[in-house]
């Protein structure tokens, strides 16, 4: 009886070690998707700071909005593929750092975009792009 119990315990521990080592694929895929979104945020910030016209600023905003759509699709696919993965966590420390960086860039986007848009207060295309972006950012 004791032998069976110890064999069962050893097999359970072995299985836990194996599954723990194989269970992080979802985090690497999530980190990759988040990194792509961060790159898109950094690109928007850079382009917004140097936009020579309302059209260029609008195009930068639209490109970022497209990146949000791409991220949301990837995230939804990952959440379906890996049900244990959620926005709420808990996440490993490296994922938390990426999420914090992403949140910090959201604040920077606001601090850069609003002054850039104030240069072109009456441009209808720019306002349309902004309104689209606001809706998409709310769903992140």
């Amino acid at each position: 009886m004791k032998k069976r119990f110890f064999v069962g315990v050893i097999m359970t521990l072995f299985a836990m070690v194996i599954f723990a080592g194989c269970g992080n694929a979802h985090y690497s895929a999530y980190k990759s998707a988040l990194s792509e979104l961060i790159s898109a945020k950094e690109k928007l910030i850079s382009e917004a700071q140097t936009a020579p016209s309302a059209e260029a600023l609008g195009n930068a905003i639209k490109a970022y909005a497209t990146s949000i759509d791409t991220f949301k699709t990837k995230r939804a696919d990952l959440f379906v593929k890996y049900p244990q993965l959620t926005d709420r966590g808990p996440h490993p420390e490296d994922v938390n750092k990426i999420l914090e960086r992403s949140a910090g860039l959201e604040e920077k986007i606001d601090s850069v975009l609003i002054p850039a848009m104030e240069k072109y207060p009456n441009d209808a295309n720019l306002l349309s792009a902004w309104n689209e972006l606001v809706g998409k950012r709310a769903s992140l």
Side-chain angles (χ1 to χ4, degrees), residues 4 7-8 10 12 16 24 44-45 55 59 70-71 82 97 101-102 112 115 120-124 126:
R4 285 187 192 173
V7 169
I10 290 171
T12 302
M16 288 173 58
N24 291 330
L44 172 63
I45 291 167
E55 182 180 359
N59 289 339
T70 302
F71 171 74
Y82 304 108
K97 286 181 182 179
R101 182 167 180 220
S102 182
V112 169
Y120 315 103
N122 298 322
D123 190 279
L126 184 57

Side-chain angles (χ1 to χ4, degrees), residues 44-123:
L44 172 63
I45 291 167
S46 173
E47 290 178 358
Q49 289 174 332
T50 61
S53 66
E55 182 180 359
L57 183 57
N59 289 339
I61 291 171
K62 288 176 185 176
Y64 176 58
T66 301
S67 296
I68 290 174
D69 289 337
T70 302
F71 171 74
K72 287 179 6 183
T73 301
K74 286 181 182 180
R75 181 179 64 182
D77 291 345
L78 287 171
F79 287 178
V80 169
K81 186 175 180 180
Y82 304 108
Q84 70 274 26
L85 182 63
T86 66
D87 276 336
R88 290 184 226 78
H91 301 296
E93 186 64 29
D94 55 341
V95 174
N96 286 333
K97 286 181 182 179
I98 293 172
L99 289 169
E100 289 171 9
R101 182 167 180 220
S102 182
L105 287 172
E106 281 295 318
E107 294 174 12
K108 178 120 181 173
I109 285 172
D110 289 336
S111 71
V112 169
L113 270 184
I114 293 172
M117 288 185 58
E118 288 176 348
K119 296 177 188 175
Y120 315 103
N122 298 322
D123 190 279

